[in-house]
Amino acid sequence: MAHAEHAPVSVVVIGYDDAAHVVEAVRSALAQGPAVREVIAVDDGSTDGSPALLDALAAAEPRLRVLRRTVNSGGCGTPRNDGLDACTTPFVMFLDSDDLLPPRAVERLLAAARYRDVEVAAGACVRREVPHGPDRPWQPRLYAPPAAPATLARPAERPELVRDTLCVNKLYRTDFLRTHGIRFPDGRFPYEDFVFGARVLAAGPRIALIPDVVYVWQVRRRAERLSISLDRAGIDNWRARTTAHRTAVEVLRAAGQDALAHAARAAFLDLSLRMYARDLGRRSPAYRTAWWTEARAHLETFERAELEPATGPGRLLAAVLLASPAPRDLDRVRELAARPARLLPPYARDGDGTPVWSAEVPVPLDALLRRPVSALPLAVTAELRPGARRGGTRLRLRLHELYGRVLAAGPLGAEVVFLDRRTGRPGLRHTVPFVSEPGSGTWVVDTGVPLGRLGAGTWDLRVRLRFADGGEREATAHADTGPGLLRRRAVPDARHGVLLVQPYATHSGALAVRVAHGPHGVLSVLKRRAVRLTGVRGGD
């Protein structure tokens, strides 16, 4: 086992008013073992008792150093720079106070950095929905086999590296950062890691990618103070994101990394633009107008080649935004921004028969005529009728025609899956054939759903479409909102006596369902709803 003075890694942990989590984060860094010489905890002017907790931990752990800023810096960049300046080791890694390093994360990154002689070693990250959600991989196309393990002589060998904007799932050679003057933007600069990551890539390091999970990004949607990545309700957050993206692209272009700059533009369309567009239905009219205006202004800085042809959903969204000076078609925009993308009817054509977005916004969609069916934004709409008279709960799916492509592919059927929101595991799965509705341009699935076989909780509907030409397409189903739909109902059930079933539309418009079991479960849900509506709690 290596002596502490010879251990090669510093872990910089930053935090502000996060007494509830910072000690756990620091301990996860200390638990990495002999590879870590020091953990540098930088407190950014906390007033909630965090410094005292860190001091108490440091008194018992000689590898922990605590740095205090007397005034909050307003962002994450300055405290990270403080930690970088203070570190005394050949390698450095960053950790946020509300996240965790899994066991052996540093050891695995260090082994890759040394064995492959690289300046940066990067590993997989998972987003963990706290307290009960599943772990979802971040950028799996980069880190899942066979993409990793890999050694890149220069970043341009894998332009999609720009999609991983995190700074925390990587181990850096300290002298590489210092030699190239690579630092985070100081002060209040949200999405500072966009710029830091661009500066790292612009310097052209050798990079090792490993498939091991080296970082746990804990997502707390119910936190009193949301993280920057979750707190998207104000227009300033969108402005900060476009500013950070624009700065990152400028850094890459100034370094002659044109391929990376182009990839960063494409990533913005596919990731950022789609993510914010999905939320527009929940925002105020004032926000929508401001967001639309800001988005158009940013997109106008893109080169023409970066927006044409408008094949992917992000590029098509950009084309619609640029073609319309004011917000419009927000339901269709939201559905196109969903994952997987859905292009809802109507399907317009211009005077010469070319598919277009709409008669009012004639953005050409002729690229849809050339894409494989597996990549088309096919629209599936769904209605769930709990306790319908014929056959219990019924699920009805409609697959809509898309400029003749569906008919040409020959729809065979759909595999219907209900996935547990918490674990991502399937509860119900069965395949049913499509039946064509004459003259309607749609194909229909109508099937019973034994909801009593699902556990209590929230279930997301997923659909895999299969076609006679061999093509397949993963899809979510747009929730129909017609009369009598999306209503909570108590449904008799042979196994549980009664179920409380609530079909609903997610914020991206997809159908999901909440299920409560038995009389006690139903009563518990109704009591919680009464408390929310009245604010009055009953006695125990």
Side-chain angles (χ1 to χ4, degrees), residues 125-129 134-138 420-422 424 460:
C125 166
V126 293
R127 284 171 54 102
R128 176 172 296 167
E129 296 279 345
D135 288 352
R136 303 187 186 280
W138 167 257
D420 189 323
R421 175 75 59 79
R422 290 175 56 181
D460 293 309

Side-chain angles (χ1 to χ4, degrees), residues 290-525:
W291 183 88
W292 198 277
T293 301
E294 295 280 345
R296 293 182 82 240
H298 184 54
L299 293 170
E300 285 170 352
T301 69
F302 283 46
E303 296 177 2
R304 189 177 186 87
E306 293 170 329
L307 294 173
E308 294 182 354
T311 54
R315 285 185 170 85
L316 179 52
L317 284 172
V320 171
L321 278 158
L322 289 170
S324 176
R328 63 179 306 131
D329 301 334
L330 293 184
D331 284 343
R332 295 186 84 208
V333 164
R334 178 188 66 176
E335 297 291 324
L336 185 63
R339 293 190 182 277
R342 305 181 291 262
L343 183 59
L344 292 182
Y347 302 124
R349 296 179 184 268
D350 67 7
D352 64 4
T354 300
V356 293
W357 175 262
S358 69
E360 297 78 16
V361 183
V363 173
L365 304 182
D366 51 312
L368 298 181
L369 303 180
R370 300 185 296 273
R371 304 199 81 190
V373 69
S374 60
L376 291 175
L378 299 178
V380 178
T381 54
E383 57 184 64
L384 186 70
R385 294 187 178 272
R389 291 181 180 177
R390 56 187 186 92
T393 297
R394 306 294 299 181
L395 173 68
R396 186 174 179 86
L397 302 178
R398 286 184 175 86
L399 170 62
H400 296 264
E401 181 58 272
L402 185 65
Y403 298 112
R405 296 299 312 282
V406 175
L407 178 61
L412 295 177
E415 182 184 46
V416 176
V417 184
F418 284 88
L419 297 177
D420 189 323
R421 175 75 59 79
R422 290 175 56 181
T423 66
R425 296 176 180 173
L428 292 174
R429 182 196 299 270
H430 65 292
T431 300
V432 285
F434 277 119
V435 176
S436 176
E437 281 194 334
S440 68
T442 62
W443 288 261
V444 177
V445 161
D446 193 334
T447 183
V449 181
L451 291 179
R453 289 168 49 189
L454 296 176
T458 301
W459 298 86
D460 293 309
L461 175 64
R462 296 289 185 271
V463 179
R464 178 181 289 274
L465 307 171
R466 292 193 169 94
F467 299 89
D469 67 358
E472 293 188 353
R473 171 64 169 164
E474 293 282 356
T476 54
H478 170 81
D480 279 339
T481 58
L485 301 176
L486 306 186
R487 290 175 54 190
R488 180 187 288 114
R489 293 180 184 272
V491 178
D493 181 74
R495 179 181 297 184
H496 302 285
V498 66
L499 302 175
L500 188 64
V501 181
Q502 171 68 75
Y504 73 99
T506 68
H507 76 268
S508 65
L511 179 67
V513 60
R514 297 186 182 97
V515 179
H517 285 173
H520 292 294
V522 171
L523 185 60
S524 176
V525 170

Side-chain angles (χ1 to χ4, degrees), residues 98-407:
D98 53 352
D99 297 332
L100 298 172
L101 295 182
R104 301 185 64 194
V106 171
E107 173 189 332
R108 286 165 172 154
L109 287 169
L110 180 62
R114 283 176 157 172
Y115 181 74
R116 304 190 209 175
D117 188 26
V118 297
E119 287 78 35
V120 180
C125 166
V126 293
R127 284 171 54 102
R128 176 172 296 167
E129 296 279 345
V130 177
H132 301 303
D135 288 352
R136 303 187 186 280
W138 167 257
Q139 297 301 328
R141 291 177 61 182
L142 280 173
Y143 296 106
T151 304
L152 309 177
R154 58 186 187 281
E157 292 179 4
R158 188 78 59 86
E160 63 266 30
L161 285 170
V162 299
R163 299 172 73 90
D164 181 7
T165 53
L166 302 181
C167 69
V168 287
N169 59 329
K170 302 172 180 70
L171 184 74
Y172 307 90
R173 285 192 182 271
T174 310
D175 60 357
F176 165 75
L177 297 179
R178 290 173 175 167
T179 298
H180 292 278
I182 298 172
R183 298 173 67 80
F184 293 88
D186 277 307
R188 172 111 185 120
F189 193 102
Y191 303 106
E192 74 295 328
D193 41 2
F194 285 27
V195 178
F196 178 84
R199 290 170 177 169
V200 169
L201 296 177
R206 285 174 50 83
I207 299 175
L209 304 177
I210 64 173
D212 306 85
V213 175
V214 301
Y215 198 85
V216 179
W217 176 3
Q218 301 200 112
V219 179
R220 294 180 172 86
R221 299 186 188 277
R222 299 179 183 178
E224 184 175 335
R225 188 181 73 231
L226 293 174
S227 67
I228 290 171
S229 61
L230 295 179
D231 189 10
R232 301 194 297 268
I235 194 63
D236 286 346
N237 182 279
W238 175 244
R239 289 171 178 152
R241 195 175 186 97
T242 56
T243 297
H245 174 259
R246 186 163 49 249
T247 304
V249 169
E250 290 168 354
V251 167
L252 294 169
R253 283 186 170 156
Q257 299 281 5
D258 291 341
L260 294 175
H262 184 85
R265 294 286 211 189
F268 178 86
L269 299 177
D270 187 48
L271 301 176
S272 298
L273 191 67
R274 291 177 71 178
M275 178 170 59
Y276 284 75
R278 286 196 297 272
D279 289 340
L280 286 178
R282 301 189 296 168
R283 307 304 185 207
S284 68
Y287 175 96
R288 295 171 188 170
T289 299
W291 183 88
W292 198 277
T293 301
E294 295 280 345
R296 293 182 82 240
H298 184 54
L299 293 170
E300 285 170 352
T301 69
F302 283 46
E303 296 177 2
R304 189 177 186 87
E306 293 170 329
L307 294 173
E308 294 182 354
T311 54
R315 285 185 170 85
L316 179 52
L317 284 172
V320 171
L321 278 158
L322 289 170
S324 176
R328 63 179 306 131
D329 301 334
L330 293 184
D331 284 343
R332 295 186 84 208
V333 164
R334 178 188 66 176
E335 297 291 324
L336 185 63
R339 293 190 182 277
R342 305 181 291 262
L343 183 59
L344 292 182
Y347 302 124
R349 296 179 184 268
D350 67 7
D352 64 4
T354 300
V356 293
W357 175 262
S358 69
E360 297 78 16
V361 183
V363 173
L365 304 182
D366 51 312
L368 298 181
L369 303 180
R370 300 185 296 273
R371 304 199 81 190
V373 69
S374 60
L376 291 175
L378 299 178
V380 178
T381 54
E383 57 184 64
L384 186 70
R385 294 187 178 272
R389 291 181 180 177
R390 56 187 186 92
T393 297
R394 306 294 299 181
L395 173 68
R396 186 174 179 86
L397 302 178
R398 286 184 175 86
L399 170 62
H400 296 264
E401 181 58 272
L402 185 65
Y403 298 112
R405 296 299 312 282
V406 175
L407 178 61

